[in-house]
């Protein structure tokens, strides 16, 4: 390899060759990625996606939540940092206890493993942030196996 190659260049070369081989063999629909879920003492799973690709943010993995929520305690900071954008819309939501409220809708992007999903609608609520179905619906072929979220690349 000589003095002209670095580990990063070699890795990049390998990834490019792997992608070309996958395309040549027509295996794009058979390549999956997995992301570690964190199981808490109550046997609930948490996930740490990156907000706008940069900031890890721990969330409860909740297939019962149709909409993703972020912690109200972070709203002002996330707006100042540009991690969320206000849409000017509001939405009525009902939480698991049946309590109804009106919430302002924001958008942001989430990076799960190497997959980035953009313009995801979120609301800020009191309590635990929820990683909801409106993100999972962007992950093709997703499934839970043990403590891993598995989805197509």
């Amino acid at each position: 390899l000589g003095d002209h190659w670095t580990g990063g260049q070699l890795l990049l070369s390998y990834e490019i060759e792997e992608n070309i081989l996958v395309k040549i063999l027509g295996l794009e629909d058979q390549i999956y990625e997995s992301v570690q879920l964190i199981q808490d003492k109550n046997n609930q799973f948490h996930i740490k996606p990156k907000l706008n690709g940069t900031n890890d943010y721990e969330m409860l993995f909740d297939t019962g939540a149709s909409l993703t929520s972020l912690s109200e305690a972070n709203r002002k900071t996330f707006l100042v940092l540009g991690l969320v954008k206000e849409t000017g819309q509001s939405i009525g939501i009902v939480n698991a206890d049946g309590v109804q409220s009106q919430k302002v809708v924001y958008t942001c992007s989430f990076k799960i493993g190497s997959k980035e999903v953009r313009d995801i609608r979120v609301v800020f609520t009191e309590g635990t942030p929820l990683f909801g179905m409106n993100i999972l619906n962007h992950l093709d072929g997703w499934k839970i196996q043990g403590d891993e979220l598995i989805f197509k690349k």
Side-chain angles (χ1 to χ4, degrees), residues 2 38 46 55 71 83-84 91 113 122 127-129 132 136 138 141-142 145 148:
I38 304 129
H46 295 254
N55 298 301
S71 174
L83 298 177
V84 296
I91 188 171
V122 299
T128 304
L136 286 170
H138 290 274
W142 72 270
Q145 188 171 328
E148 292 184 318

Side-chain angles (χ1 to χ4, degrees), residues 13-83:
S13 174
Y14 170 77
E15 288 176 0
I16 291 170
E17 289 175 15
E18 178 185 29
N19 291 337
I20 292 170
L21 184 59
V22 165
K23 286 181 181 178
I24 290 171
L25 297 175
L27 300 174
E28 293 96 341
D29 287 343
Q30 298 177 32
I31 304 299
Y32 286 81
E33 180 174 359
S34 68
V35 173
Q36 187 75 35
L37 298 174
I38 304 129
Q39 191 169 11
D40 66 19
K41 64 183 177 190
N42 298 319
N43 292 323
Q44 294 180 315
F45 287 111
H46 295 254
I47 188 168
K48 287 186 177 181
K50 292 186 180 296
L51 264 60
N52 286 350
T54 58
N55 298 301
D56 286 339
Y57 190 69
E58 186 168 337
M59 307 175 80
L60 179 66
F61 186 86
D62 189 353
T63 58
S66 57
L67 187 64
T68 295
S69 68
L70 306 176
S71 174
E72 179 64 39
N74 299 128
R75 186 176 58 81
K76 287 182 183 176
T77 302
F78 286 2
L79 279 167
V80 168
L81 294 175
L83 298 177

Side-chain angles (χ1 to χ4, degrees), residues 67-72 75 89-91 93 102-107 120-125 129-130 134:
L67 187 64
T68 295
S69 68
L70 306 176
S71 174
E72 179 64 39
R75 186 176 58 81
Q89 302 172 339
S90 63
I91 188 171
I93 62 169
Q102 198 73 14
K103 296 291 181 182
V104 174
V105 177
Y106 299 83
T107 60
I120 298 297
R121 292 167 45 112
V122 299
V123 294
F124 286 94
T125 61
L130 303 176
N134 64 325

Side-chain angles (χ1 to χ4, degrees), residues 113-127:
S114 66
K115 175 100 172 178
E116 186 167 13
V117 291
R118 299 174 191 265
D119 298 322
I120 298 297
R121 292 167 45 112
V122 299
V123 294
F124 286 94
T125 61
E126 298 298 330

